[in-house]
Amino acid sequence: KPSTSSYAIHNCSPESEWKVSLGDIVVIHCEHGAGRTVFDVNNPLPGKHYPFAVGWSVAEVIAIWKVYKNNKQFELELESPSQYREHNPGDIQLEIRWFWRRCELPGNKGVAKSAPIAYEEIFETDHVDECSANSLLGPVKVLSGLENGKPEASFHCGMPMITCTNDKLWSFHRRSIISSASDKCRGARSRMYSSSCIKDDMLRKAIESDMDDVDKEQRKRIIPSCVQRDQISWRDAFQTVIKKLTLTQASSDAYDDCMALVGRGDEQCEISSFLRAAIKGANKSCPDGSTSSSIFVAGPPGTGKTVSVCSVINKLRQEQVEGLLPDFDFFSLNGMEMRHPFESYVKFWEKLSGHAKDRLAPEVAATKLDRYFSGTCFKDVPRRKTVVLMLDEIDYLVTKKESVLYNFFDWPKQSFEVKHGPRLIVIGISNTVNLPSQLKPSVRSRLGSARCDFKSYTVDDIIRILTSKIESDSPEYEVFDKQAIVFAARKVAAVTGDIRKALQTCRTAAEAVFQQVEKGTRKGKTDKPIVTIKDVQTVCREKIGSVMSNAIAFSTPFEALLLVSLGALARHSGREMGFFDLSEIMTKTEAIANASGNTEYTPAPSFHEILEILIRLAEARLVRLRTEKTSLASFRCSQGGDGGVWPLVTLNVDECDIVSALKHSPHSQLVEKQLSGSLF
């Protein structure tokens, strides 16, 4: 029961009891709170922290526990719980995950100068903290990002209830805003960031069991079975489908429900069989670590590699809870999120040890990992029997000496040679099918012989995926015309087969129709709008603007050569979003120019010519430039560098956009030879 002095609203009196459960979004008393919000738009009252009288912020409850001074207190409560609690309320502690308001994000620090006129937006974070239950001030109602309206005063148990919207996550560690998945996955995300769950396996399993029951009840209340077709408005149907077509939502569905992905049943069975055998074999004395402790998963971007592995892991977790598998812990690292390949050592050690606040040097973290998997015990590190590590986007972890990949795939072999130490199983995911052949023999031998290849989605696969996504969440209203879905699938399959492009195309088309009807600019019937093939065609034409398309189509020979070279680097290296050093670009450009046999591209541009062309392309927003302190010093010196840093370069447009813009230009043969071919 919070104190009445915590509220700025007169005659506000909390009732005697307020029940707080795991997963609840609440208001927490804190000094860094960023000011007031509108509680009732019809009756705005002044106040620095309105509707509260103290600083406050929003958070989600992850775990609740009670602190005892000694074992005697604990035994007394077990003997007579009600009598003991009446005289000894004790110290109730909470583990919380902060939900920051926009004015609390970096760059917007300080008290909010003016309250919003609509429901305020809050952002999930990966920032976890602990506080006393005495810090609780009131409940929070969270709406989806598509809902909004005029704030009206609402109370719960006599306390003001703040209403906010949320559909984004602010990553405290990555310092960026990303889209979050559905509300039903919020509990799983909290457990992923929770330090309590990392340290205590029993607590994690108990919380997962409790939260799974909550999630199931929430799912039952999404759409009642008795709802008829004419009772669902087109607006609700469009909003549901738009949210369903996001990439995060599509991934979370397969992960949470352990569903077999369309066209990926064989691959999931293969990965599942390998992991199940490897986890069970972890108890054996001397298994062959080179063949049974790591698997290489490869395929083009957007073919379901990562989500397939995550879905399999979730299924194996359920088998673990049922006692069908030995205990194992799962961690994941993404090479694309690392500022440098060696940072992966630090991230892995933080996850493994639970010491997220320790900022170790990469070489120190690598030494600790080497000692850990070679059998050396650490007193302050959890003792784990089996660790399953998913290394996603390992193309970004390739270094000059390839030491990072060597260590990550050598530690499983070391761990299996130790009789009673922790076991490590590694799943390496790459966008490059022939990556092993590009590595040194020593690294290739550590990868082992187990591998699983993913092929691009076919037209039928994409149609089935899109149809299942759209119809499963909007069976009462037809949002998409079937021919529109078929057209989108054929368009994507003809270029890349990347299911992410198909989801993005359909989502953009649905958003465009929704906005046209809302603004009154939609032609034809607007009482029951539907996304037609014409709407999808419009999105495909506008995906790359006419200005950008013309800029590519009218490129000079050297500009076209550079764009095609960057596209070829992204394809062959597997670093889809990676930045390339100028030395890599010069090597690739020279090779493509010589192979073309066209005097327009030979001799290849010099270093200074490439720099000038890249600056022009960056000004046209066709490429992005970024400077890194880790640029090769020897390369700078060889090119007359003065101690500064040369930029790293990546494309700002898709490969398919380059192919589309250049196929009717004088450079059509160049792009057809280098970019039009399939990866398989």
Side-chain angles (χ1 to χ4, degrees):
K1 180 181 178 180
S3 171
T4 55
S5 61
S6 302
Y7 305 105
I9 301 176
H10 299 297
N11 302 323
C12 185
S13 178
E15 297 176 4
S16 58
E17 184 177 296
W18 169 34
K19 184 179 179 180
V20 178
S21 305
L22 300 181
D24 284 355
I25 311 297
V26 296
V27 176
I28 300 291
H29 176 198
C30 61
E31 296 301 328
H32 70 261
R36 60 189 176 183
T37 189
V38 165
F39 178 65
D40 184 2
V41 73
N42 298 318
N43 186 27
L45 295 177
K48 182 178 179 181
H49 305 292
Y50 186 80
F52 301 97
V54 294
W56 61 275
S57 193
V58 181
E60 177 186 13
V61 179
I62 303 177
I64 306 173
W65 68 91
K66 188 172 184 178
V67 179
Y68 297 91
K69 294 182 180 178
N70 48 56
N71 291 334
K72 186 177 181 180
Q73 286 188 352
F74 179 66
E75 293 171 357
L76 289 174
E77 180 162 357
L78 289 179
E79 294 175 0
S80 54
S82 58
Q83 182 179 358
Y84 180 84
R85 292 172 188 171
E86 182 179 353
H87 297 90
N88 301 276
D91 185 13
I92 305 296
Q93 295 291 316
L94 309 175
E95 182 180 34
I96 58 175
R97 180 164 68 107
W98 292 111
F99 277 52
W100 288 353
R101 300 155 65 195
R102 183 171 292 277
C103 51
E104 294 172 339
L105 296 178
N108 296 283
K109 290 291 184 181
V111 177
K113 296 181 180 179
S114 61
I117 60 174
Y119 291 134
E120 188 172 7
E121 183 180 19
I122 58 175
F123 299 83
E124 287 188 49
T125 72
D126 49 13
H127 184 193
V128 175
D129 213 339
E130 295 180 4
C131 69
S132 170
N134 296 327
S135 302
L136 291 168
L137 293 179
V140 176
K141 180 181 179 182
V142 179
L143 307 176
S144 70
L146 296 173
E147 302 177 71
N148 218 317
K150 283 187 176 182
E152 297 180 357
S154 58
F155 294 84
H156 177 76
C157 295
M159 297 169 291
M161 183 167 67
I162 303 297
T163 303
C164 304
T165 64
N166 167 248
D167 63 353
K168 297 182 181 67
L169 182 144
W170 164 259
S171 176
F172 182 78
H173 300 289
R174 294 167 60 181
R175 316 297 287 180
S176 61
I177 294 177
I178 57 179
S179 297
S180 61
S182 65
D183 296 344
K184 68 181 182 181
C185 308
R186 187 181 293 149
R189 292 193 293 273
S190 297
R191 295 192 293 274
M192 180 176 63
Y193 301 128
S194 169
S195 58
S196 300
C197 293
I198 293 176
K199 296 177 182 177
D200 194 323
D201 289 339
M202 185 178 295
L203 175 63
R204 173 178 56 80
K205 293 176 182 177
I207 293 177
E208 284 180 350
S209 176
D210 186 31
M211 292 300 294
D212 286 343
D213 293 338
V214 174
D215 291 344
K216 289 176 182 177
E217 292 300 320
Q218 289 177 348
R219 293 175 195 176
K220 291 178 182 178
R221 294 194 293 267
I222 293 176
I223 298 180
S225 58
C226 60
V227 175
Q228 302 298 322
R229 178 182 294 270
D230 55 355
Q231 292 177 315
I232 297 293
S233 69
W234 71 268
R235 185 176 286 100
D236 293 337
F238 266 77
Q239 289 176 344
T240 302
V241 169
I242 289 171
K243 188 171 184 179
K244 190 71 173 180
L245 290 174
T246 58
L247 298 179
T248 50
Q249 181 67 48
S251 300
S252 65
D253 288 342
Y255 179 78
D256 290 339
D257 300 332
C258 303
M259 60 185 289
L261 298 178
V262 175
R264 293 293 175 254
D266 294 341
E267 290 83 354
Q268 284 184 292
C269 288
E270 186 176 346
I271 296 171
S272 178
S273 300
F274 167 81
L275 290 178
R276 190 178 288 108
I279 294 171
K280 288 182 178 179
N283 295 323
K284 297 180 181 180
S285 299
C286 297
D288 184 4
S290 62
T291 60
S292 65
S293 56
S294 61
I295 182 172
F296 177 71
V297 180
T303 51
K305 301 184 296 295
T306 303
V307 70
S308 293
V309 172
C310 290
S311 179
V312 168
I313 289 294
N314 202 31
K315 184 178 180 180
L316 296 180
R317 280 188 181 277
Q318 293 183 2
E319 294 182 12
Q320 175 188 342
V321 173
E322 295 170 2
L324 302 177
L325 272 182
D327 288 344
F328 70 92
D329 293 299
F330 174 70
F331 303 106
S332 63
L333 295 175
N334 192 311
M336 192 166 58
E337 297 177 357
M338 306 298 164
R339 291 173 293 182
H340 192 278
F342 295 107
E343 189 184 14
S344 56
Y345 294 144
V346 180
K347 295 296 183 182
F348 187 31
W349 178 251
E350 289 177 354
K351 291 176 179 288
L352 193 66
S353 65
H355 301 162
K357 295 183 179 179
D358 294 348
R359 305 303 299 176
L360 300 177
E363 56 270 17
V364 176
T367 302
K368 287 181 176 289
L369 288 168
D370 192 71
R371 291 176 56 196
Y372 184 82
F373 289 113
S374 62
T376 304
C377 296
F378 290 87
K379 295 182 179 179
D380 56 342
V381 177
R383 190 68 174 178
R384 307 179 190 276
K385 294 182 179 179
T386 304
V387 176
V388 179
L389 173 65
M390 181 178 72
L391 277 179
D392 201 359
E393 305 282 359
I394 63 174
D395 313 271
Y396 292 86
L397 300 181
V398 178
T399 58
K400 187 175 182 179
K401 295 183 179 180
E402 301 176 2
S403 58
V404 175
L405 287 184
Y406 178 87
N407 287 332
F408 271 108
F409 286 97
D410 184 57
W411 286 326
K413 183 176 182 299
Q414 291 185 26
S415 67
F416 273 86
E417 292 174 350
V418 179
K419 291 185 178 181
H420 304 292
R423 307 293 195 249
L424 177 63
I425 301 168
V426 174
I427 310 166
I429 303 178
S430 169
N431 290 330
T432 310
V433 179
N434 62 342
L435 179 65
S437 62
Q438 300 175 15
L439 301 174
K440 296 178 180 178
S442 58
V443 182
R444 195 160 56 243
S445 66
R446 294 306 187 273
L447 285 176
S449 58
R451 65 178 292 158
C452 180
D453 292 332
F454 283 67
K455 295 184 178 180
S456 299
Y457 283 110
T458 64
V459 176
D460 292 338
D461 291 337
I462 298 176
I463 291 175
R464 289 163 58 195
I465 294 172
L466 293 177
T467 302
S468 65
K469 295 291 180 188
I470 294 169
E471 293 184 354
S472 63
D473 274 80
S474 181
E476 298 81 14
Y477 187 94
E478 188 178 7
V479 177
F480 275 79
D481 180 65
K482 292 183 179 179
Q483 292 302 317
I485 297 176
V486 172
F487 178 83
R490 288 178 175 173
K491 194 74 174 177
V492 172
V495 181
T496 61
D498 189 338
I499 189 60
R500 299 172 300 181
K501 306 294 184 185
L503 292 171
Q504 184 181 14
T505 299
C506 290
R507 182 171 188 257
T508 304
E511 288 176 337
V513 173
F514 184 86
Q515 293 174 2
Q516 289 171 8
V517 177
E518 287 286 279
K519 295 178 180 179
T521 59
R522 178 77 172 177
K523 296 181 180 180
K525 294 182 179 180
T526 58
D527 55 337
K528 289 186 177 181
I530 185 173
V531 180
T532 64
I533 189 172
K534 183 178 179 181
D535 298 313
V536 178
Q537 288 175 333
T538 302
V539 171
C540 293
R541 285 196 302 266
E542 295 178 351
K543 189 176 179 183
I544 176 170
S546 58
V547 176
M548 301 279 279
S549 180
N550 289 336
I552 298 175
F554 292 98
S555 299
T556 64
F558 279 175
E559 289 174 345
L561 177 63
L562 267 178
L563 290 173
V564 171
S565 299
L566 286 170
L569 274 173
R571 170 175 292 189
H572 299 144
S573 69
R575 287 149 57 186
E576 184 186 12
M577 297 294 292
F579 285 81
F580 301 100
D581 193 275
L582 289 179
S583 60
E584 298 176 283
I585 297 173
M586 288 185 66
T587 303
K588 193 67 175 179
T589 302
E590 185 175 357
I592 292 178
N594 294 334
S596 68
N598 192 330
T599 56
E600 283 188 318
Y601 312 116
T602 55
S606 66
F607 173 77
H608 294 289
E609 287 176 328
I610 287 180
L611 272 182
E612 293 177 358
I613 296 171
L614 287 175
I615 292 174
R616 292 203 303 270
L617 294 177
E619 290 174 349
R621 298 186 178 181
L622 297 178
V623 301
R624 283 185 292 165
L625 306 180
R626 187 179 72 185
T627 55
E628 291 281 351
K629 294 182 179 179
T630 55
S631 297
L632 297 176
S634 58
F635 178 70
R636 290 201 309 271
C637 294
S638 67
Q639 299 297 334
D642 56 356
V645 291
W646 300 126
L648 299 179
V649 187
T650 193
L651 282 174
N652 202 31
V653 293
D654 292 336
E655 291 177 39
C656 56
D657 298 329
I658 297 177
V659 175
S660 177
L662 293 180
K663 66 180 179 180
H664 298 302
S665 72
H667 314 295
S668 57
Q669 292 184 353
L670 179 70
V671 71
E672 183 178 353
K673 182 178 181 180
Q674 299 296 332
L675 296 182
S676 294
S678 174
L679 286 171
F680 284 92

